[in-house]
C-alpha cells in the first residue's frame, strides 16, 4: 500500500543545480536565436499557470490527448497486460496518467519524472490516495538527461514509458528529436 508519505520517502531528487542551470542559460543565450530552456519556467507558480492554460478553450493539446486516451485506453491496457511499471516523462499534474493507471490491470509502480518539484509533489498528493496499491516512485529531474529509474518493491512484468507528446512543444525541432535518444 502506497501513501503520500511513502512516496515522499521514495522521492529521487535530481533537480538541476546552480552550475547546470547556468550552463543551460549560457548555452541558450549563445544560440543565434536566443532562448531560455522552458523547463526552468516550471516552478510552483509556473506549473500552476500552465495547468490553468491547459484548461482554456484555446489550448487544445491537453483536450485532444485526453480524448484520444479515452478512445485507446482499453487497447493499451490489453496490449500492455498486468503488473506494469509506468514511467511518465514530464508528468506535470498527472491528470492523463491517472486515467492510464486506472485503466491498467494491477499496475505495480508509477515513476513520474518531472522537473517541477511542486508539480511532482502535487500530482503524487492526488494520485497516491486514489491508487493505494500502486507504488509511487517520484523522480524530480530533467528527463532529457539520463535518469536511473527507481526499483519497485514488486517485480514488474514490464515497463511502460508514457509520453503523451504535448511536451514536445517545449523543444526546438532538433531538441525534440534528441529526446528519443
Amino acid at each position: 500500500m502506497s501513501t503520500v508519505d511513502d512516496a515522499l520517502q521514495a522521492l529521487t531528487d535530481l533537480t538541476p543545480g546552480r552550475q547546470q542551470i547556468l550552463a543551460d542559460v549560457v548555452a541558450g543565450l549563445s544560440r543565434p536565436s536566443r532562448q531560455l530552456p522552458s523547463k526552468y519556467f516550471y516552478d510552483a507558480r509556473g506549473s500552476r499557470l500552465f495547468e490553468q492554460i491547459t484548461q482554456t478553450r484555446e489550448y487544445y493539446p491537453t483536450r485532444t490527448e485526453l480524448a484520444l486516451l479515452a478512445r485507446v485506453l482499453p487497447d493499451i491496457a490489453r496490449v500492455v497486460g498486468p503488473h506494469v511499471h509506468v514511467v511518465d516523462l514530464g508528468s506535470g499534474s498527472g491528470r492523463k496518467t491517472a486515467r492510464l493507471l486506472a485503466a491498467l490491470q494491477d499496475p505495480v509502480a508509477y515513476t513520474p519524472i518531472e522537473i517541477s518539484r511542486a508539480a511532482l509533489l502535487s500530482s503524487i498528493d492526488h494520485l497516491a490516495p486514489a491508487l493505494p496499491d500502486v507504488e509511487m516512485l517520484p523522480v524530480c529531474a530533467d528527463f532529457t538527461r539520463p535518469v536511473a529509474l527507481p526499483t519497485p518493491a514488486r517485480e514488474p512484468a514490464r515497463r511502460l514509458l508514457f509520453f503523451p507528446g504535448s511536451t514536445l512543444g517545449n523543444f526546438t525541432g532538433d531538441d525534440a528529436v534528441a529526446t528519443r535518444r
Side-chain angles (χ1 to χ4, degrees):
M1 182 156 188
S2 186
T3 67
V4 173
D5 288 339
D6 293 335
L8 291 176
Q9 296 241 329
L11 174 68
T12 301
D13 194 346
L14 303 173
T15 304
R18 184 178 173 89
Q19 294 287 65
Q20 184 61 57
I21 294 169
L22 181 60
D24 288 345
V25 168
V26 168
L29 295 178
S30 298
R31 289 181 171 194
S33 177
R34 290 178 173 82
Q35 65 183 41
L36 291 174
S38 62
K39 64 187 172 188
Y40 295 126
F41 300 145
Y42 292 98
D43 59 4
R45 185 174 182 208
S47 294
R48 279 192 310 273
L49 178 60
F50 180 70
E51 276 306 307
Q52 291 173 353
I53 289 168
T54 66
Q55 295 176 30
T56 64
R57 190 175 60 76
E58 295 81 8
Y59 191 85
Y60 68 88
T62 300
R63 236 184 1 268
T64 302
E65 288 172 340
L66 288 169
L68 180 61
L69 272 175
R71 257 193 346 258
V72 300
L73 275 176
D75 294 330
I76 291 172
R78 182 180 44 74
V79 170
V80 169
H83 316 298
V84 67
H85 176 186
V86 176
V87 178
D88 187 359
L89 303 180
S91 57
S93 69
R95 198 169 13 150
K96 293 170 229 161
T97 314
R99 294 178 185 198
L100 172 67
L101 289 168
L104 294 173
Q105 183 185 351
D106 191 26
V108 169
Y110 171 53
T111 298
I113 302 176
E114 173 60 48
I115 192 76
S116 169
R117 185 181 173 95
L120 181 67
L121 296 179
S122 177
S123 72
I124 292 299
D125 206 31
H126 289 78
L127 290 172
L131 300 160
D133 295 329
V134 179
E135 185 178 8
M136 302 284 158
L137 300 168
V139 176
C140 187
D142 175 356
F143 71 80
T144 65
R145 301 186 193 288
V147 175
L149 295 177
T151 304
R154 287 183 4 193
E155 182 70 30
R158 67 198 53 78
R159 274 194 203 120
L160 172 64
L161 184 65
F162 185 60
F163 187 64
S166 62
T167 299
L168 287 174
N170 291 333
F171 299 100
T172 64
D174 290 342
D175 290 340
V177 170
T179 61
R180 65 182 209 136
R181 293 188 186 118

